[in-house]
Amino acid sequence: MVRLLKKDVSPGVLVSENVDALQKKLWKCMCGYASDPGWRKKVDWMLMPVFNAVMKQTIADYQHIACLDGRDDKNPNRFNLNFRHVALAFQQYSEDKELIDENSAERRRRLKVCTQIIGAVVQEVMSDYKDKMEPVPDDLLQWCQSAADGNPDGVLAFCSQWAQTLSHVTHRNAGSCHPFESSLNAPASIEAVCDLLEEVVKLDPSLIQGSEEVCRLSLIVNRSAAKRQKKKFKKGVPVRCPHCQW
């Protein structure tokens, strides 16, 4: 355990909270596509059968959910889902040819459309972040761009890492506080958490095994947000927590 803000925080909390701001942005965008006239049918007809099939295998007593955008707001499962679950669904469907009862032509079409949907979401979110982040290392930029371009291998690699972060949530929930959200109006605390996470990962790389790029990207996102908020503080502009504001 480490000491932060006078509370004990497990390393798993640091890992999970670090990626949460970016995850929330991806989830919000995905839900937006689920209600967008140009994407709604593709999401409902192609992605949702995969999503429900995987969630039924993953979550005990799972109830079929009709959509991601709130039209199925009476389903209690909807409030416990996020982009990590979409990523897990795509990863498992890509690897399991028996998951859905369909012929090879239908499977190829479904894979193509689901890849397009997720690629478009990544493209939109990263485009929104582009001018808000510090320079991104070339290898990390290439990893993001491959998914944003809708490259099948790139989208699968992107989703596989986000699916892995589901295990981080288990560690987070075992912790006693959420450091980013506890640092309201304190950009310096956000930066301190990022520094601490980097040191913790150096001591135990297994904490982010399988999700290295996701964690690196999220660190850049959070540091960039904190620096922008510090500039606002200097100008006397009221701001919210960098992590929560995004």
Side-chain angles (χ1 to χ4, degrees), residues 18-171:
N18 173 55
V19 304
D20 210 39
L22 182 55
Q23 185 280 135
K24 286 177 179 176
K25 188 76 171 182
L26 287 162
W27 178 238
K28 182 179 180 180
C29 186
M30 176 62 74
C31 290
Y33 273 55
S35 61
D36 182 273
W39 291 92
R40 179 171 171 172
K41 288 184 178 180
K42 291 182 178 180
V43 174
D44 287 355
W45 294 352
M46 292 296 181
L47 180 61
M48 291 311 298
V50 172
F51 187 83
N52 281 303
V54 173
M55 291 305 102
K56 187 175 181 179
Q57 293 179 349
T58 306
I59 302 174
D61 301 322
Y62 177 78
Q63 297 179 34
H64 181 280
I65 187 169
C67 59
L68 300 177
D69 68 349
R71 284 175 280 142
D72 201 12
D73 60 357
K74 293 182 180 180
N75 190 322
N77 289 127
R78 193 175 69 81
F79 302 101
N80 297 317
L81 301 171
N82 55 54
F83 183 77
R84 296 178 177 97
H85 295 95
V86 175
L88 177 66
F90 182 79
Q91 179 197 31
Q92 293 197 6
Y93 176 65
S94 297
E95 297 172 352
D96 184 358
K97 295 182 179 180
E98 306 299 324
L99 183 67
I100 301 286
D101 183 15
E102 59 189 353
N103 60 43
S104 58
E106 291 171 334
R107 176 175 169 79
R108 286 195 299 271
R109 174 165 170 71
R110 191 183 302 277
L111 274 171
K112 180 179 180 180
V113 174
C114 289
T115 299
Q116 289 174 344
I117 294 169
I118 296 173
V121 168
V122 176
Q123 177 67 53
E124 183 169 330
V125 171
M126 295 315 300
S127 294
D128 186 43
Y129 274 134
K130 185 176 180 180
D131 297 328
K132 301 177 181 178
M133 292 192 301
E134 297 177 343
V136 180
D138 289 343
D139 65 319
L140 192 56
L141 184 62
Q142 184 176 3
W143 178 76
C144 292
Q145 194 60 55
S146 181
D149 289 343
N151 179 288
D153 291 336
V155 171
L156 179 57
F158 189 85
C159 286
S160 295
Q161 289 211 15
W162 278 103
Q164 177 62 29
T165 66
L166 275 171
S167 64
H168 300 162
V169 178
T170 301
H171 290 290

